[in-house]
Structures are given as structure tokens and as C-alpha cells.
Amino acid sequence: MAGDWAGPWSTWQGQTPSGPPSYRPPGSSWLSCGSGGNFDTPEFRGMTFHEIRARTLVNKVPGASRMPFEWTVNPYRGCSHACVYCFARRTHSYLDLDPGEGFDTQIVVKVNAPELLRKELSSHRWRGQHIAMGTNVDCYQRAEGRYRLMPGILTALRDHANPFSLLTKGTLVLRDLDLLRSAAAVTDVGVSVSVGFTDEELWRTVEPGTPAPQRRLDVVRRLTQHGIPCGVLMAPVIPFLGDSPAQLRTTVRALAAAGATSVTPLALHLRPGAREWYFRWLHQHHPRLVRHYEALYADGAYAPKWYQRRITRQVHELAAEYGVGPAGPGTARRTAPPAPADGGSDRDGDGSGDAREEPAAENRCTQLTLL
């Protein structure tokens, strides 16, 4: 269980990518693990699915990490949510795939994920540790509607009474509500939804492939109503576009109205891969802000500590005002991991590189991995 795939990358013998030429990576080198194929589908026009049979699924977080869990499951690589800030973009380059448009349209699907997970959970070496999902890309992105991997994954976790958590921007999670409820009856289950802002104009440009914020809030409401406590990762809070006091208040008020059990804010971070793609978007949509971002992120992937602490303090104060407490240590452990510091190594590609941990303090800055 040392990684998502065993052995080195290789090419698919006798196969070529079927996506548009503009989405093909330099050299046309494609990963392979067992038999698979590349498929264009009319209902997902402009997207290509690369079906593979993975050799392992339960992924060990690197030992150097200080994340609050050790194991992750990621049935997909790449994400049709197309969030311009997504930190996981650079992981596509590990597969010789384009981290820009290719990340949004070239989706790697581990078609044997459910059966493989059941096998690994049955191993005498497995000790029933907590498994986190949604730490790299969204398990409930559009591809899940076609491949339906999550019902099998959740069933395997439930049948083994294995604790797990998941983080999503997808409304498709409601399809599996009954499975989540039956799993919660036998083990520890944590569910969080990512909603960084409620501004629909901003959403349409920065998160074009995701369900609208109000639809995600409906997910929070439905889950809570059906006995699945649901926290919100308020991520990302976007500097100069979504961080005014009025915008923060509007978002926190909406989260409270939806019944969120906790709210954990996260200021935008721009790691390599995501940084270049985000700045390209910024030049196109908000050129006047480019110099402000260059100054704010001059020292690396993260906004300055003073900015992060200001956002965290404001959101926590608003959450207290509206009756939603900030996520405590236990809740954070069950929702999402700390983000790797300074764009650290993440060769396993699941967002679980070297983690940064803020000291416990009233106004500590919380950094969590986002989708």
C-alpha cells in the first residue's frame, strides 16, 4: 500500500490519446497500469477518460508529513470542476499530462477501485486506520456519475466498519446518502462540503465546473437533516475578490442557515502548477489585480501570516455570531488535511506532502487542503 500505482510509469502499448490535440501533453507519454483505454463520450464532450486498473488504492501519507491522518483513497486523477486555483494541478505533470486544461479534461479513472479497496481492507496487514477521501481531487466530480465508483468504495468501508472522511464540492454525494447513514451506524464518518464564497459571478469564472454555491449549501442542509453532521471548509477565501467584511459575513450567514456544524476558513494558496494557471486567469479577468497578487504572494505559495490570521479571526467571529463554532481539533481531523508547506514534495500526488501545522492559539491560522 505504498502508493496508487506500483512500479514506474510506462506507455499504453498500441494506444493513443483520443482527446483533442490541444489537450495532449508533450511527447504523448501516457501512464499505464494493467489494461485500460482512453474514451471520449458524447455526454462529456471535450473530456477524455483514461481507464486504468490500479495495483494499489489505499495510499500512505509520507512519513515526513504531520497530517492528522495516515491514509488516503483517490479513485480519480484530474478534475472536471476546473477550479483555477486547484493545488492538485501539478500532480498531472507527474503523469506527463497537462496541468492546465488537461487537468480539467483528461481524467484518470481507477475502474477497479471498489474491488481493490475491499481486497486491501481484508488484508491481515490492515489495521482499520482512518481513510480520508477528497484530499486530492473530488470523488464526486462529474466522472462519478458515469463510473459510480463511490457506492462500492463506501460499501467496502461500511462492511469493514472502517472510519473515513470525505470532502466534496459535488452534489452527487446525496445519491449515496443511505450508504453514508448505514456506514455512520457502524463507524466514525466525517463529511465536509467546500464553499469558499456565495458570490455567483465569482463562482462562474473561478469554479466553472462545480455546482453553484447555493446547491452545495443544499447538500449541507440535506445531510444535516438526515443525521449526517456536515462541516464546511470555507475555501478558498480569495484575496481582493471574495474577502471583504461584507462578503465574509454573507457567506458565513449562508453556511449557518444551511445548518453547517462547523466552518473552517482557508485563504487562497497558490502552489506551483496552480500558481501559473491562476495568474493566467487573473490576467484575463482581473488584470488590475496582478500586481497586488504578486506582492501578496511574493514569498511563496501562501499569503502572509498576517493576512491568514485576519481572515481566520473574522470568520471565527462571524461564525460565533451566527451560532456556528470553528472546527475543533477533532472535527478538522475528520474533514481535511493541512496543506503542504511551501509547495513541498508531493510525489504521490494526493496532496499529502510535507504538512505545516500552526501552533494552538486563539487566532491560529488554519491551513487545510482544498479541492
Side-chain angles (χ1 to χ4, degrees):
M1 301 180 187
D4 289 322
W5 289 277
W9 307 120
S10 60
T11 57
W12 278 341
Q13 297 299 320
Q15 297 183 7
T16 56
S18 55
S22 61
Y23 295 160
R24 298 180 186 177
S28 296
S29 177
W30 297 86
L31 67 103
S32 172
C33 184
S35 60
N38 309 313
F39 300 96
D40 282 324
T41 56
E43 66 270 31
F44 293 92
R45 189 169 301 279
M47 295 179 62
T48 301
F49 298 114
H50 304 289
E51 297 181 352
I52 68 164
R53 295 189 63 82
R55 296 177 185 170
T56 62
L57 190 71
V58 181
N59 185 62
K60 182 94 165 63
V61 175
S65 172
R66 293 189 294 172
M67 288 194 174
F69 53 78
E70 295 183 77
W71 303 93
T72 62
V73 162
N74 294 297
Y76 300 100
R77 296 280 186 126
C79 187
S80 59
H81 285 342
C83 301
V84 296
Y85 52 76
C86 184
F87 83 96
R89 287 185 175 278
R90 72 170 181 168
T91 65
H92 242 39
S93 64
Y94 303 158
L95 315 180
D96 287 332
L97 293 168
D98 170 29
E101 290 185 8
F103 180 84
D104 305 336
T105 59
Q106 303 277 350
I107 311 301
V108 178
V109 184
K110 304 172 190 177
V111 294
N112 62 332
E115 62 193 78
L116 188 54
L117 177 60
R118 187 172 290 275
K119 177 182 177 181
E120 292 181 319
L121 294 180
S122 299
S123 169
H124 69 276
R125 295 175 296 172
W126 182 246
R127 296 292 181 263
Q129 298 97 319
H130 180 97
I131 289 177
M133 294 177 286
T135 62
N136 184 42
V137 299
D138 204 323
C139 298
Y140 285 101
Q141 60 176 287
R142 288 181 61 204
E144 173 60 17
R146 170 185 173 89
Y147 287 97
R148 298 182 61 87
L149 300 180
M150 287 303 292
I153 288 172
L154 295 178
T155 299
L157 290 165
R158 179 201 63 191
D159 292 351
H160 286 82
N162 202 104
F164 66 89
S165 61
L166 62 87
L167 173 66
T168 184
K169 283 187 174 79
T171 57
L172 193 57
V173 65
L174 293 177
R175 179 201 64 192
D176 297 338
L177 179 58
D178 288 343
L179 276 171
L180 289 171
R181 293 178 66 184
S182 61
V186 297
T187 191
D188 187 20
V189 174
V191 181
S192 286
V193 173
S194 177
V195 184
F197 46 85
T198 55
D199 184 323
E200 291 215 356
E201 183 178 353
L202 180 58
W203 157 68
R204 291 180 190 280
T205 59
V206 80
E207 298 173 343
T210 65
Q214 288 301 327
R215 293 186 61 200
R216 282 178 258 161
L217 292 174
D218 287 340
V219 171
V220 175
R221 187 176 293 106
R222 286 278 304 281
L223 289 171
T224 302
Q225 289 173 346
H226 286 83
I228 304 293
C230 185
V232 170
L233 181 62
M234 190 171 160
V237 175
I238 302 181
F240 312 115
L241 294 171
D243 63 347
S244 73
Q247 288 171 311
L248 296 178
R249 175 175 291 276
T250 297
T251 300
V252 174
R253 182 170 58 233
L255 303 182
T261 57
S262 65
V263 54
T264 303
L266 168 65
L268 176 72
H269 62 275
L270 297 172
R271 292 165 59 192
R275 185 186 185 99
E276 294 82 359
W277 195 246
Y278 186 83
F279 267 87
R280 173 179 168 178
W281 173 84
L282 203 63
H283 275 281
Q284 292 174 342
H285 293 273
H286 303 281
R288 63 182 179 81
L289 293 179
V290 171
R291 63 183 181 88
H292 296 291
Y293 269 85
E294 289 173 342
L296 192 64
Y297 290 89
D299 293 332
Y302 298 92
K305 293 289 184 66
W306 63 262
Y307 179 85
Q308 296 181 40
R309 292 192 177 103
R310 189 190 80 189
I311 295 299
T312 300
R313 181 177 63 253
Q314 289 178 319
V315 170
H316 285 181
E317 289 173 354
L318 289 166
E321 179 181 341
Y322 288 106
V324 183
T331 305
R333 182 175 61 254
R334 296 172 55 184
T335 57
D342 302 323
S345 176
D346 184 20
R347 298 303 301 179
D348 286 332
D350 66 349
S352 55
D354 295 339
R356 147 169 87 184
E357 197 171 282
E358 297 293 339
E362 182 179 354
N363 292 323
R364 69 182 183 276
C365 170
T366 306
Q367 277 285 28
L368 300 182
T369 295
L370 64 115
L371 295 170

